[in-house]
Amino acid sequence: MPPTISPAVMNWESVQKAIQTCSQCERLDGTLFARFRGAWPQIPRPRPRSILFISEAPPQDGGFWTIQDQTSKQDDLREKLLPLLKLSSYGPDRGLVSFRDSGYFLLQSFPRPLKKPIGSVKTDGLRRLLQHPVETHLKDQIAFFSPAAILALGRPASAALSMLFPESSFARTFGSGDFSAVQGRAFQEHSRPLLSATYLPSGNGRFWQRYWAADIPRLVREARSSIDSTKEPT
């Protein structure tokens, strides 16, 4: 079954406030997490039944949902992802309003910047690192708007997705074959959103560009088709 929201959480602002003031995450500052250089990203309220992308963690400058100064380097993930969705990343809001209003959303597996890269961490260790962020924060955010499809970007996000839906065929396939077994595949089951994964669009991953550049538009088309097939006729 999809994640269910905690009864104590009443609105999106409460969800975000709980993330920003989490004492357990605070205790991990300096070990697992690094602090944002500026203010926390202001993540807007998602639209119900959106197509959700899950990435790894925000960078210290705020990342995807933070509009950087015009003279600064813009967020790499946003600059790569939006064109794949035929959306512009230019303008005062850097395309974020169109992104959300077009039925897309993005969350991160870890709510804070990471102190060190985790690409080499084995799956069991990755699950341990993800346990609190997924069960306490990511689950409530996802339950709030019940996305129609979820596309994990990268291995840590795929591990997080498998933890969110532990009884799914996605989780079983990831558990037996790791990231390569789920990359580029769509897993559709009754009562669950469409689940899938591909490589994280990243400036450090040009070798993998041929995969994510092909996977993301194709998987979005599959998600749109799945959404349309479940709509009641008018």
Side-chain angles (χ1 to χ4, degrees):
M1 294 294 291
T4 55
I5 198 163
S6 166
V9 176
M10 300 300 294
N11 55 51
W12 183 251
E13 291 70 27
S14 297
V15 174
Q16 296 306 308
K17 186 69 172 177
I19 293 170
Q20 294 176 21
T21 59
C22 176
S23 59
Q24 187 164 336
C25 290
E26 285 283 350
R27 288 195 293 271
L28 294 173
D29 265 348
T31 53
L32 176 61
F33 296 128
R35 292 189 178 273
F36 288 107
R37 295 192 186 99
W40 275 76
Q42 296 301 302
I43 302 177
R45 181 188 296 265
R47 294 186 178 276
R49 303 288 293 163
S50 294
I51 295 174
L52 172 65
F53 298 93
I54 300 179
S55 63
E56 182 177 297
Q60 286 187 274
D61 69 357
F64 189 89
W65 290 109
T66 298
I67 300 174
Q68 290 79 18
D69 185 275
Q70 287 188 354
T71 60
S72 302
K73 185 180 183 300
Q74 297 302 310
D75 181 66
D76 189 51
L77 174 56
R78 187 175 65 227
E79 294 294 297
K80 287 181 168 61
L81 178 59
L82 267 62
L84 292 174
L85 306 174
K86 302 188 185 303
L87 298 172
S88 172
S89 60
Y90 296 97
D93 65 9
R94 308 305 300 187
L96 290 173
V97 172
S98 292
F99 176 76
R100 187 190 66 161
D101 289 352
S102 297
Y104 300 111
F105 208 70
L106 182 133
L107 294 171
Q108 278 132 343
S109 307
F110 295 96
R112 300 171 183 235
L114 293 171
K115 180 81 171 174
K116 299 176 183 177
I118 58 171
S120 61
V121 176
K122 294 183 178 179
T123 302
D124 287 346
L126 195 54
R127 290 183 188 276
R128 285 193 292 272
L129 293 176
L130 284 164
Q131 184 173 358
H132 171 72
V134 167
E135 294 183 357
T136 307
H137 302 311
L138 189 58
K139 184 180 290 186
D140 272 355
Q141 292 181 95
I142 288 175
F144 186 86
F145 67 107
S146 300
I150 307 177
L151 176 55
L153 302 176
R155 182 169 165 266
S158 299
L161 187 55
S162 73
M163 295 167 70
L164 285 163
F165 298 91
E167 303 301 320
S168 66
S169 55
F170 179 96
R172 291 192 297 273
T173 304
F174 180 82
S176 61
D178 210 272
F179 176 71
S180 61
V182 295
Q183 180 262 319
R185 295 180 59 188
F187 296 80
Q188 180 73 75
E189 295 165 279
H190 180 66
S191 78
R192 293 192 183 100
L194 182 147
L195 307 178
S196 190
T198 190
Y199 290 93
L200 174 69
S202 166
N204 296 323
R206 292 185 180 89
F207 178 80
W208 310 113
Q209 180 172 350
R210 62 192 175 111
Y211 295 105
W212 55 255
D215 287 346
I216 290 173
R218 176 176 55 79
L219 292 168
V220 164
R221 287 195 299 271
E222 290 189 39
R224 292 287 188 205
S225 177
S226 175
I227 293 168
D228 289 344
S229 69
T230 58
K231 287 181 180 176
E232 294 185 2
T234 56

